[in-house]
């Protein structure tokens, strides 16, 4: 377990970035966490138990670890402020649906009252069926597939997959980035398919020509020479990558070897690309991605968050860490709005939060004035970044 942020840093960031709702002024002493817990409650033990699920091992671990750390940072700050208190317990699902359900059951046995997760879409879809049946409120920071928030007890912080696909096509067309576009996507992944389908549909509306539309699956995601060659032969000026960063790093490497140098454009799954082990980051130069947060941001909220995240974990936060941070503060705001207490059972808390989430506004790292509709979707403005010299800068 990485070290927690010291109280002084936590309090400083808490004061600079808090969601709506009041808080106390004194910092309580932390109690001993429950078994398996990664957070501390109040000295009296009256802490609301928040569970978290995501990959902290395996190929998608960069997302899960970022969410775990971003959420923990927010929990520590909130507990330091007094008032509402949280106990946080994060379980590994290895980006696997069955293991995510096992993690969910572990958290239920622990006494979870609210679920912050899961991190990736396929496990999230599996878990939301369970949380809905149990009437446990679920807020996913980054599960972007539409099915992640079908039940009325499920909300999210990030954009949906279709939104990302539609907005990406709009941006490419409106900024005349390319006329001929290729798409390489994972047909076995809900996240990738959701973005892909919306992108292709909107590309037609916007007059973009899809000259190559190439799929791969989870069973065949290391050799992309065929897909890259088809994009190259078709004369694609831009390759749209609605996929995760590991596969994207391989595509960039293999495209470079073939002498193919189009513009590459992706979504939030590409966040983490420059941190891939043994990847030549020079190949990421000029890659564009649509994501609501970058550690290179210069506004005060972002700068303070990045500074304190670095102090706590020794690295820059990515968008997933910011999503999780906003998720915890959104839960806090809704809890305060609804008057939820730790003595309430999970079902009663769920009923209270369903209504409260549509009444709160959160000024977060991933957007100012974030609101939610009754369907669980957030309203906020997207941003596009380009990788320059190994960092993300506004496009």
């Amino acid at each position: 377990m990485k070290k927690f942020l010291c109280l002084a840093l936590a309090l400083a960031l808490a004061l600079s970035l808090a969601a709506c709702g009041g808080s106390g002024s004194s910092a309580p002493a932390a109690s001993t966490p429950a078994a398996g817990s990664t957070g501390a409650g109040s000295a009296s033990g009256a802490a609301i138990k928040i569970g978290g699920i995501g990959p902290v091992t395996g190929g998608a671990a960069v997302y899960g670890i970022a969410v775990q750390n971003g959420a923990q940072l927010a929990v520590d700050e909130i507990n330091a402020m007094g008032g509402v208190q949280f106990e946080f317990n994060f379980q590994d699902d290895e980006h696997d649906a069955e293991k995510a359900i096992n993690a969910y059951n572990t958290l239920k046995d622990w006494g979870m009252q609210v679920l912050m997760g899961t991190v990736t879409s396929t496990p999230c879809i599996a878990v939301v069926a369970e949380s809905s049946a149990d009437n446990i409120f679920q807020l996913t920071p980054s599960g972007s597939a539409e099915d992640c928030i079908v039940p009325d007890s499920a909300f999210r912080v990030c954009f949906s997959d279709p939104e990302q696909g539609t907005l990406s096509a709009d941006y490419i067309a409106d900024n005349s980035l390319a006329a001929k576009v290729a798409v390489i996507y994972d047909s076995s992944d809900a996240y990738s398919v959701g973005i892909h389908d919306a992108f292709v549909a909107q590309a037609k509306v916007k007059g973009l020509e899809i000259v190559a539309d190439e799929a791969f699956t989870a069973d065949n995601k290391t050799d992309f020479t065929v897909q890259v060659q088809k994009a190259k032969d078709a004369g694609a000026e831009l390759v749209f990558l609605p996929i995760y960063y590991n596969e994207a790093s391989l595509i960039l490497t293999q495209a470079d070897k073939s002498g193919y140098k189009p513009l590459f454009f992706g979504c939030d799954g590409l966040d983490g690309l420059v941190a891939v082990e043994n990847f030549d980051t020079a190949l990421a130069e000029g890659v564009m991605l649509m994501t609501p947060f970058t550690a290179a941001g210069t506004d005060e909220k972002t700068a303070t968050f990045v500074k304190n995240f670095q102090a706590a974990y020794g690295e820059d936060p990515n968008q997933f860490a910011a999503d999780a941070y906003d998720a915890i503060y959104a839960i806090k705001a809704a809890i305060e709005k609804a008057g939820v207490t730790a003595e309430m059972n999970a079902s009663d808390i769920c009923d209270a939060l369903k209504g409260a989430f549509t009444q709160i506004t959160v000024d977060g790292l991933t957007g100012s004035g974030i609101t939610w509709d009754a369907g669980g979707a957030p309203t906020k403005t997207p941003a596009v970044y380009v990788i320059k010299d190994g960092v993300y800068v506004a496009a």
Side-chain angles (χ1 to χ4, degrees), residues 316-356:
D316 284 344
N318 60 21
Q319 175 234 315
F320 293 83
D323 280 335
Y325 186 89
D326 284 353
I328 296 296
Y329 271 102
I331 290 170
K332 175 181 181 287
I335 281 172
E336 292 174 336
K337 181 70 175 180
V340 166
T341 66
E343 290 72 29
M344 295 169 62
N345 64 45
S347 182
D348 288 343
I349 290 175
C350 183
D351 290 338
L353 295 185
K354 289 176 190 178

Side-chain angles (χ1 to χ4, degrees), residues 153-285:
S153 58
F155 286 65
R156 71 160 139 251
V157 173
C158 64
F159 288 113
S160 72
D161 297 336
E163 285 174 325
Q164 292 192 72
T166 299
L167 292 168
S168 293
D170 287 343
Y171 187 90
I172 291 167
D174 293 347
N175 290 276
S176 302
L177 298 185
K180 294 184 176 182
V181 178
V183 185
I184 301 177
Y185 74 105
D186 184 350
S187 61
S188 66
D189 181 72
Y191 165 81
S192 190
V193 171
I195 299 177
H196 165 271
D197 292 351
F199 178 83
V200 170
Q202 187 67 5
K204 293 179 181 179
V205 173
K206 302 294 287 192
L208 297 175
E209 182 182 1
I210 305 296
V211 296
D213 191 1
E214 301 300 316
F216 63 92
T217 69
D219 297 327
N220 182 21
K221 58 177 184 179
T222 57
D223 185 356
F224 299 98
T225 54
V226 172
Q227 292 93 332
V228 168
Q229 191 62 45
K230 287 185 177 181
K232 181 180 180 182
D233 291 344
E237 305 153 331
L238 181 149
V239 177
F240 183 59
L241 301 176
I243 57 177
Y244 294 118
Y245 65 94
N246 273 327
E247 291 77 21
S249 70
L250 296 174
I251 289 171
L252 290 170
T253 300
Q254 291 165 21
D256 180 68
K257 289 181 179 179
S258 71
Y260 182 40
K261 300 185 181 300
L263 175 63
F264 288 98
F265 192 108
C267 298
D268 57 5
L270 262 61
D271 193 3
L273 178 63
V274 296
V276 174
E277 187 175 359
N278 299 321
F279 172 60
D280 181 0
T281 56
L283 300 180
E285 189 73 10

Side-chain angles (χ1 to χ4, degrees), residues 35 102 132 296 381 391:
N102 292 338
S132 176
T381 303
V391 298

Side-chain angles (χ1 to χ4, degrees), residues 29 64 76 110 123 134 141 171 176 193 266 295 308 314 319 322 327 357 364 382 384 387:
D76 290 345
W110 170 66
D134 293 329
Y171 187 90
S176 302
V193 171
N308 293 333
Q319 175 234 315
F357 252 84
V384 175
I387 298 175

